[in-house]
């Protein structure tokens, strides 16, 4: 079992739905793009402050059927219904995590500061960085984050005030 990290540093990665079958599987709706890492046998997830180790996981419709160590029957699985699933952040130099960019300054390729990023909005084409003044910048234009500064390369006119 993994050593517990600070719960405040864990990321929400999904939510448990109903029990499935009689052997302790639960339906999990993951909200992460790191599905392979979160569903691997031995992966450590957390529910209600309790460590849960993945024993099996398989896709089912648009969700996953997961069985955790220590959950071997339907009654026990049903007690997990509705719980939020969290996990420790994974080191991925290519990944952009919402909690890493909120509060950063957005700077374009010319060095112009366009203000603070206050939210990331889920959008099918590309998630959107929302600035304090309401302007939106597709995450597809993201280049890099260095400390408190997110650099983007945007087309001419996207961030202009006129």
């Amino acid at each position: 079992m993994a050593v517990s990290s600070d719960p405040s540093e864990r990321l929400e990665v999904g939510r448990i739905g109903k029990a499935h079958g009689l052997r302790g599987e639960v339906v999990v709706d993951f909200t992460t793009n790191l599905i392979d890492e979160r569903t691997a046998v031995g992966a450590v997830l957390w529910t209600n402050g309790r460590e849960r180790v993945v024993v099996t996981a398989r896709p089912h419709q648009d969700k996953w059927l997961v069985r955790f160590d220590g959950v071997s029957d339907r009654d026990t699985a049903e007690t997990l219904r509705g719980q939020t699933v969290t996990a420790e952040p994974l080191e991925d130099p290519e990944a952009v995590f919402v909690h890493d960019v909120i509060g950063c300054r957005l700077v374009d390729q010319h060095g112009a500061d366009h203000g603070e990023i206050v939210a990331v909005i889920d959008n099918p084409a590309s998630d959107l960085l929302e600035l304090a003044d309401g302007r939106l910048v597709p995450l597809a234009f993201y280049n890099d984050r260095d400390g408190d500064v997110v650099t983007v390369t945007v087309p001419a006119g996207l961030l202009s005030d006129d």
Side-chain angles (χ1 to χ4, degrees), residues 91-145:
E91 293 298 321
D92 183 354
E94 300 296 315
V96 179
F97 293 104
V98 171
H99 66 275
D100 287 336
V101 297
I102 302 293
C104 289
R105 305 295 298 177
L106 186 117
V107 176
D108 67 22
Q109 68 268 31
H110 306 292
D113 185 330
H114 293 280
E116 181 181 353
I117 299 169
V118 296
V120 177
I121 300 170
D122 186 34
N123 185 45
S126 174
D127 289 346
L128 302 168
L129 301 172
E130 181 180 8
L131 300 177
D133 63 7
R135 290 182 291 170
L136 302 173
V137 178
L139 194 57
F141 298 131
Y142 175 91
N143 283 344
D144 191 23
R145 182 178 68 89

Side-chain angles (χ1 to χ4, degrees), residues 4-12 46 49 86-89 99-100:
S4 173
S5 67
D6 180 355
S8 67
E9 293 178 4
R10 292 189 203 123
L11 307 173
E12 183 175 327
W46 299 81
T86 61
E88 295 180 15
H99 66 275
D100 287 336

